[in-house]
Amino acid sequence: MTDAPWWGTALLAGLFGLGGVAVAQAVGIRLERARGRREDQRRWHAERRHVYASFLAAAYALYRHIRSSPRGKAYVLRWRELTDDLNVRHQEVHLLASTPVAAAAQALLTQLRDFADAAKKQPDGNHDALRDSLSEARTHFISLVRAELDVAEPARPLTLWNF
């Protein structure tokens, strides 16, 4: 049997070393991509949560304005400001939301408009049925948002504010 040339061992060790470096680089690149995807998902999750909460807050601000403000010039100016803000928030929801959440946001907005129209026609009228529909639309929206964001439902319903 013949002995291997003196340079064969060095060549073989070098090839194994380069192979190890290549594998380590491939694993590192793969881990970095996975980390980047996780960070993107976290950012989108946080952005959607912010947009949904802002939409609900804008809807509530408009609802409170309808219920508590006397009618007059200041009322109309504030109405325009609040409806503009709500429309912007609604568009943000449509940009980021899944189809069911976007549909629930549209339903909430429709119920709020119906309530506003009824309150405008009869400022002192009884609008309990519309208020109940509005509250149901709000609850449905929150439920779908929780499902989309993978947030567990609370043990008992939250009543932070009701329509």
Side-chain angles (χ1 to χ4, degrees), residues 2-22:
T2 62
D3 290 329
W6 64 269
W7 49 266
T9 304
L11 180 64
L12 193 56
L15 289 176
F16 277 114
L18 285 175
V21 168

Side-chain angles (χ1 to χ4, degrees), residues 21-41:
V21 168
V23 168
Q25 286 294 326
V27 168
I29 290 170
R30 188 175 181 133
L31 288 173
E32 188 61 34
R33 284 184 186 162
R35 185 178 303 120
R37 280 193 299 268
R38 275 193 314 272
E39 288 174 6
D40 285 346
Q41 287 174 343

